[in-house]
Every structure is written in structure tokens, then in C-alpha cells.
Amino acid sequence: MELRHLRCFLAVAQELHFARAAERLHIEQSPLSRTIRELEDDLGEKLFVRTSRSTRLTPAGKLFFEHVPRVFTALQQARDSVIAAANGFQGQLRIALSDGITPSRLPALLAMCRQEEPEVDIRLFQVPLSQQIKGLQGDLYDVGFAQSDEVGEGVVAEAVWSDPLMVAVPTRHHLLKHKRIPLDEVLQFPLVLCDPLTCEGHARQIERVLRRSDREPLIVERVASLELMMIVVSAGFALGLAGGPHITASRESGVVARPLAARSPMLTTYLLRREGEVSEVLSRFIERVQLIDLPEGTRPALPPEPDPPEEIEL
């Protein structure tokens, strides 16, 4: 089995059409079909069911399709590691991000890492939760952030940050008469929520909050990101539910954040990592994560950045 076999398989599995896959790979359809047959002979299993009208994955093909993308991710990471070493980096930290992360925290965390350990190369991967968990289990990532602690075997989830769940309301909406909006009032209006396929952990936490009411929510849109949610709210199509910092950090001027009435639910962000011993680089990173929410005066002082070189006009 060679990488060309895997590239061909991946193209056909994604396109489910041999002609389109061949065009994507810039090869003729005949050598593509021959390469797939070679791969199937090597594995001893049929990977595709092909008719004159359609191409679909067999059960064995679906299982193979779950693993092949990780091969190319690992290969790219190996290349990145070599380039990083050539550029003077002495270590690497691979961070997976799922469900969105509080806007103000990630820049502060990365700035702290860069100032304290500039020799460590940090790589960010924005992936669905299920892919993050598989990547942590398979050593594709060192650590991750998500809004779920349902992570299965071999992965540890530690609650690190909490934000109040708030209602994203269009400006001039009459619900803004409430300083704190009752959940039953919110559910009288259409909602835009994050799609569970892309924001799985976030969607689970929102679903638990919605179950507190006997009223059935009217969900008119499920979007792939919190940024798109704010756009839909700003346009006046629906109300949204998200962490307070996400709403207040939104660039959409037509959105106002309001807390829920009574005790406001909290959205929890978890740090995910593999079970077992933690490297020194990862251990220091976790310490920084825990410092992010400390009051400003209690954080260790960061070393000052050097002054930029003076520009001289010629």
C-alpha cells in the first residue's frame, strides 16, 4: 500500500463519483479504477459498490474512510515538525479547538505561551468534537478545548472556564424591556442554534437548558458557528443562545446580550487530553490555562517584550 492508493481512495470516498475524483486528481479514470482495485486486493475487501448510476462505500470502506484522513494529518504534522525545527523551534504543542472558544481567552493564552516559551511551536486545529477525541486518542493532538466532558475512554476532561448563558436579541426587539429574560418568554420566539454536527458540546449544553421549560422551542435555523448565529440574530430572523463573551465580542452591531431570569445557566469549557503522564510542555500550558481567569493583579507578571528595532529613513 502506497500513499497514492490512499489519495485515490480518499478522493473517490469524498466525491462518490469516479469521474469527478479522477478530474480532481488530474488523472484519467482508468488508472484511478486500477489503483482502487490494487488497494482492495491488498486489503482483501471491497471498498466501493459501483453501478452505472452510483458509487457508494461498503461497510469496510466506511471504516477505512474514518482512518485514512488521519494518515494525511499525521504526515502533514511530521512535515510541519521538520520545518519548525529548521526554524529554531525546540518543541511543538498541537491544540484542537471544538465548539468555539471564548474570544478574549484564546488570544490571551497564546500571547502568554509565546512570551514565556517562544521556542515552542504552537499548532491550532479547528475540528468537530468527535474528530478531536479520536485525534487525542490517536496522538494527533496534545490537548484540546471543547464544551463537553462526554469524551469516552482514554481521554480526560477538566472543567477550566465558565461563562453565563445569555440571549442574543436583535436591537429594537420588545424583549429588551426585560433586564433578565424568562426562558418561557424566549421560547415564544424563533431560535437560531448551533448545529450539533459542528458544535456538538455546545449544542448538548443548550439542549439541557431548553429541557427546563415545558414549552417546545421553535428552531428555525441551525448554523455551523457562533459567528453565523450572530449574523442571523442581527438580521432579526431569530433569537440566539450563547455564552455572554461570544455575544458581546460579536462584530454585529444589531445584537444585544441579555441574561436569563433567575439563576443564569453557565456554559462550561473543558480542557481535553489523553490519560497518562503529561509532558513538561503540556504541563506548563495547562498551568497557563488555569491562570487566564484569575484577577489581573494576581497573575504572574509576563516578561516585557523587547522594543521593536528603530526604523531609519534613508
Side-chain angles (χ1 to χ4, degrees):
M1 187 186 302
E2 301 174 10
L3 282 176
R4 65 183 179 87
H5 292 104
L6 300 184
R7 287 195 182 94
C8 289
F9 168 80
L10 197 57
V12 178
Q14 290 172 337
E15 298 289 345
L16 291 179
H17 194 282
F18 272 75
R20 287 199 298 268
E23 183 178 353
R24 171 173 153 183
L25 294 167
H26 306 291
I27 61 174
E28 296 295 326
Q29 192 170 331
S30 177
L32 173 60
S33 298
R34 185 166 57 250
T35 302
I36 295 298
R37 283 196 301 271
E38 290 173 359
L39 180 59
E40 290 175 330
D41 290 343
D42 184 58
L43 293 170
E45 290 287 344
K46 295 287 289 182
L47 299 174
F48 297 98
V49 176
R50 186 179 181 185
T51 69
S52 58
R53 293 188 174 185
S54 68
T55 298
R56 68 179 188 275
L57 287 161
T58 64
K62 290 177 181 177
L63 287 173
F64 198 56
F65 188 34
E66 291 182 11
H67 294 279
V68 169
R70 297 206 291 272
V71 173
F72 289 101
T73 300
L75 180 61
Q76 185 60 50
Q77 288 184 0
R79 288 173 174 159
D80 291 342
S81 296
V82 171
I83 294 171
N87 289 331
F89 290 104
Q90 299 173 15
Q92 190 177 72
L93 195 61
R94 301 161 299 173
I95 306 172
L97 306 173
S98 306
D99 302 321
I101 187 169
T102 307
S104 60
R105 290 191 179 108
L106 186 58
L109 176 60
L110 295 179
M112 194 183 298
C113 292
R114 182 176 64 85
Q115 290 188 8
E116 294 184 356
E117 281 190 294
E119 72 278 7
V120 175
D121 181 34
I122 292 181
R123 300 280 170 171
L124 302 177
F125 304 86
Q126 191 166 7
V127 295
L129 176 60
S130 58
Q131 186 175 330
Q132 178 180 157
I133 293 170
K134 289 179 181 177
L136 288 167
Q137 292 168 336
D139 195 29
L140 290 180
Y141 313 123
D142 302 300
V143 67
F145 293 97
Q147 291 189 334
S148 176
D149 59 352
E150 300 174 35
V151 294
E153 296 182 2
V155 177
V156 176
E158 176 187 355
V160 287
W161 301 322
S162 291
D163 297 300
L165 176 65
M166 302 186 79
V167 188
V169 187
T171 54
R172 296 186 298 278
H173 196 288
H174 79 267
L175 274 184
L176 292 177
K177 66 185 179 183
H178 298 281
K179 293 299 182 183
R180 303 181 72 90
I181 307 176
L183 180 58
D184 283 345
E185 289 277 327
V186 172
L187 297 184
Q188 292 183 31
F189 298 91
L191 293 179
V192 53
L193 301 179
C194 281
D195 190 334
L197 294 177
T198 54
C199 304
E200 185 177 341
H202 181 272
R204 287 178 191 167
Q205 294 198 45
I206 298 298
E207 183 64 28
R208 285 196 288 269
V209 172
L210 295 179
R211 288 198 209 108
R212 298 181 183 181
S213 174
D214 294 330
R215 184 184 290 270
E216 189 70 23
L218 174 60
I219 302 170
V220 295
E221 190 83 43
R222 290 193 182 272
V223 293
S225 68
L226 293 165
E227 290 76 15
L228 187 52
M229 178 193 292
M230 295 305 113
I231 291 173
V232 174
V233 172
S234 179
F237 292 159
L239 307 178
L241 289 169
H246 273 108
I247 302 175
T248 55
S250 170
R251 296 180 181 177
E252 299 302 321
S253 58
V255 179
V256 178
R258 280 286 190 272
L260 287 165
R263 185 177 179 182
S264 185
M266 304 296 287
L267 289 177
T268 303
T269 298
Y270 297 87
L271 181 144
L272 277 54
R273 61 174 178 82
R274 285 187 305 282
E275 286 183 344
E277 293 186 13
V278 176
S279 69
E280 291 185 8
V281 170
L282 180 53
S283 178
R284 289 191 292 271
F285 176 79
I286 294 173
E287 289 175 2
R288 295 185 193 107
V289 171
Q290 295 165 340
L291 290 173
I292 288 296
D293 275 349
L294 290 178
E296 197 68 39
T298 63
R299 296 182 196 171
L302 293 177
E305 292 194 44
D307 294 330
E310 183 179 354
E311 292 187 4
I312 301 175
E313 293 186 6
L314 299 178

